[in-house]
Amino acid sequence: MNAWAFMFSVWILKEKATWVKVAAVVVCLVGVVLVSVYKRTEHEAHEVKETVAGYIFTLVSTVCYALYEVMYKKALQSRPHMDSVRWAMLFCGLIGVGNFLTVWIPIPILHATGHEVFHAPSAEQTPTLAIIVVLEGTYNCVLLVGIQLVTPFFMTVGTVLTLPGSIAADVWLHGEYPPFMQIIGIMFIAVGFLVLLYAEFKHAGEPGNGSSDDSSDDEEEEDKQRRSSGSQVRHSSQYAAFVDSGADPLALPVGIVTQDDAAQ
């Protein structure tokens, strides 16, 4: 998914495509392939049935999710001062409402046709599912906040770190150790993320890539210039009106100017 997020970011968000970012994508992709292809046990290798349709659905879902992240960032560019946490929680809530109203519709159809039989969770499974729901909601909110603070591409590569995290959890909870090639894949993912981290910090330190505080200072300076220009126009119009009245221009009342200056 990081490759799609990178391409959409360059295309839609007009991010600069550098060789360092391309290298980070390639390294992470190699790591993901190594972790995904090499199974930990022979039982795991035969546990999941791999089909062409499954690969197609996986491809479509990754493309759509990467596009969703980039378009979310695009929508926020017109609202730079919006509170990231509140907006992320609101957006996740709206997604939940949409899922509640629509996603359940295929369930009775699949159950009636026997294609996918629905089973209510047991009493033992309910606490685990509740924990998963809370963690998933937290993950989505944090992801959206991160997208607003940095970039979708950076957050996408960061989420790839969940792969070595899940392997470490299996070692800790179930005592299942990964094969050698998966360890190499984990190293590739970590190196790819560090390369991207270096590229982001390097880009942030380049001239012209200042912080939001610099942007605020620029906006304040532009506002002062606009007010100064408007004051000059008012002075000119008042002076012209005073001259048209037939009065001596040298007797221009000081109050006309000082009043405008005080308004600034």
Side-chain angles (χ1 to χ4, degrees):
M1 186 172 64
N2 47 15
W4 294 108
F6 175 67
M7 289 188 290
F8 285 138
S9 297
V10 173
W11 174 38
I12 299 175
L13 301 178
K14 308 302 179 184
E15 290 189 7
K16 184 179 180 181
T18 62
W19 288 108
V20 178
K21 292 183 179 180
V22 174
V25 171
V26 173
V27 172
C28 286
L29 283 177
V30 173
V32 170
V33 170
L34 292 176
V35 171
S36 302
V37 171
Y38 289 91
K39 309 299 180 181
R40 287 187 286 275
T41 61
E42 183 179 355
H43 172 72
E44 183 183 356
H46 299 282
E47 189 177 20
V48 179
K49 182 180 179 180
E50 299 178 353
T51 61
V52 176
Y55 284 112
I56 294 176
F57 280 118
T58 301
L59 176 63
V60 173
S61 64
T62 54
V63 173
C64 292
Y65 199 80
L67 182 61
Y68 151 74
E69 292 181 344
V70 173
M71 293 306 298
Y72 179 80
K73 180 69 173 184
K74 180 70 174 179
L76 290 177
Q77 287 181 343
S78 59
R79 303 172 178 85
H81 302 295
M82 182 174 294
D83 185 85
S84 57
V85 177
R86 291 183 180 180
W87 177 250
M89 295 179 66
L90 174 62
F91 195 79
C92 288
L94 294 176
I95 293 176
V97 172
N99 291 339
F100 179 77
L101 296 177
T102 59
V103 174
W104 64 271
I105 297 176
I107 295 179
I109 300 176
L110 295 174
H111 180 78
T113 57
H115 185 76
E116 186 74 28
V117 179
F118 174 77
H119 296 283
S122 61
E124 293 79 9
Q125 295 172 333
T126 301
T128 303
L129 291 176
I131 295 174
I132 293 175
V133 169
V134 173
L135 293 178
E136 180 67 18
T138 305
Y139 164 79
N140 287 325
C141 289
V142 172
L143 176 66
L144 295 180
V145 172
I147 290 175
Q148 184 172 357
L149 296 179
V150 284
T151 63
F153 176 53
F154 183 83
M155 292 302 299
T156 302
V157 176
T159 55
V160 177
L161 295 175
T162 57
L163 290 177
S166 63
I167 294 177
D170 285 338
V171 174
W172 178 43
L173 297 175
H174 307 291
E176 297 181 359
Y177 292 88
F180 176 75
M181 293 306 297
Q182 277 197 343
I183 297 177
I184 298 298
I186 293 173
M187 296 174 62
F188 268 87
I189 294 174
V191 170
F193 181 76
L194 292 177
V195 170
L196 180 61
L197 194 63
Y198 164 77
E200 291 292 331
F201 275 107
K202 182 180 178 181
H203 176 71
E206 291 177 355
N209 297 312
S211 62
S212 58
D213 294 337
D214 297 335
S215 301
S216 300
D217 294 339
D218 295 339
E219 292 176 358
E220 184 177 355
E221 183 65 26
E222 292 177 359
D223 184 62
K224 289 182 179 179
Q225 293 177 359
R226 286 194 299 267
R227 287 187 295 169
S228 176
S229 300
S231 177
Q232 294 175 2
V233 172
R234 291 194 302 271
H235 294 169
S236 301
S237 61
Q238 291 176 351
Y239 179 80
F242 187 80
V243 173
D244 292 341
S245 65
D248 184 5
L250 298 178
L252 179 67
V254 179
I256 293 178
V257 179
T258 56
Q259 183 179 1
D260 288 338
D261 292 338
Q264 297 183 37

